[in-house]
Amino acid sequence: MKNTKFKILSIDGGGIKGVFPALFLTLLEDELKNRSDGKTKIYQHFDLITGTSTGGIIAIALALGIPAKEIYQLYLDNAKKIFGSKKPFFIGQILNSAHEREFLENLVREKFRDANNGIEPRFGDCKTDVCIPIYDLIQGNPSVLKTKYHPAFERDYHIPAYQAAMATSAAPTYYDPYTSEYIDLNGTQKDFANKVDGGIMANNPTLVAVLEALKAFKVEMSQLEILSLGTGYKKLTDGNSRKKWGLHYWMVKNSRKRLIDLFMQSQSQLVANYISLLYQGIDRSEKDNPNFVYDRIDVLLNEDNNIEMDESDRIKIKNFAELASIEFQHNRTTILKNHFY
């Protein structure tokens, strides 16, 4: 791979805010429809796709060949059933997670089967390589589910694809840790228990994919072409001289889970900052001669256009997704030139 480019697509976590990258990718696929080489789907343009949480669901779906438009529509049409029965905080969420997973799991499982001719796809059935961050509560450490792009990676490609998607999207307080089991390709029953959303340590998984490229694929940094998609971010600021900084403020006040937002957004921004450092150097001192190709698509949110990760109102979700259309208009030419031609 010494003389070829290595293309990475990275998708952040963010719950229903996944409609932002889903619509952005839909608009990209619209541009690919008339290609003479037949490469009309997103997965055909990337050597490695990574995603966390909702981004992990999207990443696996894309890698199974599902059109981005169908993923976007899946979110839009089913948000009410996925998040519409949220438990009241004081009555239901003190001892339990806010949502039940059954509908989402069945929805994703059916969609993945349909994309694989009605047969349950394994993680290894992805049409391009994928890496998906999760947290393993059994072992007490972060983990990355990987297709078999290195001889040492024998564990994960047996896992049913929908189970990988459920594991990376099991956000604490929103869903219980994900537990299931499966029969591997050798006929052995395997446990897949207590997996938690990868967003707790890699909500922006771009750096995960970069390290995989450098070490597992033996790619040189100059070969990298990275497209990184966020899910919108809102700066968590508070200059008040408040005296009560307890659980009510961080998890309840104004129906906002500030603590979760703080962890996920700060991690996403830190990774974006580090990738930018690798890309253009300190204070962009290398901007005239960047070290690789890198584009980050994200949008700064405010009180008027922000939505919660478990928003269920179709109109609010659709309006939020339209922010992706604006970003696409601003970045269309650059993105197509850098990643699709």
Side-chain angles (χ1 to χ4, degrees):
M1 299 189 67
K2 294 296 182 183
N3 298 314
T4 59
K5 293 298 183 181
F6 188 87
K7 297 173 176 287
I8 294 172
L9 172 62
S10 175
I11 310 171
D12 282 18
I16 198 62
K17 294 180 182 181
V19 293
F20 178 90
L23 182 56
F24 192 91
L25 292 165
T26 297
L27 296 172
L28 277 174
E29 276 193 347
D30 284 344
E31 298 281 342
L32 304 177
K33 286 180 178 177
N34 297 318
R35 285 182 67 103
S36 59
D37 60 5
K39 293 184 177 181
T40 60
K41 292 186 177 181
I42 294 295
Y43 82 88
Q44 295 172 302
H45 296 269
F46 294 95
D47 300 292
L48 182 63
I49 302 179
T50 186
T52 297
S53 193
T54 191
I57 296 176
I58 296 171
I60 297 170
L62 291 171
L64 289 172
I66 299 173
K69 183 177 182 179
E70 292 185 18
I71 303 169
Y72 170 66
Q73 207 63 47
L74 193 77
Y75 277 61
L76 199 62
D77 292 344
N78 294 283
K80 182 68 72 175
K81 292 180 180 178
I82 295 171
F83 294 124
S85 300
K86 186 175 183 178
K87 299 167 188 171
F89 185 86
F90 286 106
I91 299 174
Q93 294 186 48
I94 295 297
L95 298 177
N96 300 289
S97 300
H99 303 283
E100 300 293 339
R101 181 188 291 108
E102 184 178 7
F103 179 82
L104 175 62
E105 183 172 6
N106 290 336
L107 180 70
V108 171
R109 187 177 191 180
E110 181 180 354
K111 190 68 177 178
F112 286 5
R113 276 179 179 166
D114 288 346
N116 197 46
N117 298 316
I119 301 170
E120 190 89 79
R122 307 269 181 165
F123 198 50
D125 289 321
C126 290
K127 300 175 187 295
T128 193
D129 284 311
V130 180
C131 60
I132 304 293
I134 65 170
Y135 189 89
D136 190 330
L137 282 179
I138 298 292
Q139 299 185 54
N141 59 250
S143 180
V144 180
L145 303 178
K146 307 171 186 181
T147 50
K148 194 173 172 25
Y149 49 79
H150 187 279
F153 299 163
E154 289 287 348
R155 180 191 64 181
D156 302 330
Y157 70 93
H158 299 259
I159 299 170
Y162 82 93
Q163 292 188 13
M166 291 302 97
T168 192
S169 58
T173 76
Y174 291 92
Y175 290 112
D176 291 347
Y178 184 70
T179 293
S180 190
E181 58 186 27
Y182 62 93
I183 305 296
D184 72 11
L185 294 169
N186 300 315
T188 304
Q189 182 170 307
K190 295 290 183 70
D191 291 326
F192 192 62
N194 289 26
K195 311 305 182 191
V196 173
D197 194 319
I200 65 171
M201 84 292 182
N203 199 55
N204 175 348
T206 308
L207 193 56
V208 173
V210 168
L211 291 173
E212 292 295 321
L214 297 178
K215 294 302 181 182
F217 289 92
K218 303 299 182 184
V219 171
E220 295 178 2
M221 190 175 293
S222 60
Q223 295 174 260
L224 296 176
E225 289 186 356
I226 304 167
L227 175 58
S228 178
L229 304 181
T231 55
Y233 66 100
K234 184 177 184 295
K235 292 183 178 180
L236 184 54
T237 60
D238 194 329
N240 294 323
S241 299
R242 65 176 71 252
K243 295 181 179 180
K244 297 181 179 179
W245 292 89
L247 183 63
H248 180 267
Y249 171 79
W250 288 109
M251 295 297 290
V252 182
K253 186 177 174 63
N254 304 126
S255 300
R256 287 188 61 192
K257 294 185 176 180
R258 290 176 179 80
L259 189 61
I260 305 296
D261 290 344
L262 179 65
F263 288 164
M264 292 189 171
Q265 288 297 340
S266 61
Q267 193 281 333
S268 288
Q269 192 57 51
L270 180 66
V271 169
N273 291 347
Y274 276 138
I275 295 293
S276 181
L277 179 66
L278 292 173
Y279 171 51
Q280 292 186 331
I282 296 173
D283 291 333
R284 301 180 65 199
S285 58
E286 301 165 28
K287 64 181 173 128
D288 294 329
N289 187 28
N291 296 299
F292 49 86
V293 175
Y294 171 63
D295 291 288
R296 171 74 172 169
I297 303 296
D298 208 357
V299 60
L300 177 61
L301 304 171
N302 56 45
E303 291 295 338
D304 293 328
N305 60 18
N306 188 31
I307 60 174
E308 295 300 316
M309 292 199 300
D310 57 353
E311 179 60 63
S312 61
D313 184 281
R314 180 186 175 93
I315 294 176
K316 290 182 180 179
I317 295 168
K318 193 170 184 179
N319 288 341
F320 178 83
E322 284 304 309
L323 296 171
S325 296
I326 298 170
E327 291 302 312
F328 184 77
Q329 291 170 16
H330 291 162
N331 295 280
R332 172 186 174 276
T333 301
T334 299
I335 298 301
L336 288 172
K337 177 184 175 183
N338 285 348
H339 305 280
F340 296 91
Y341 293 123

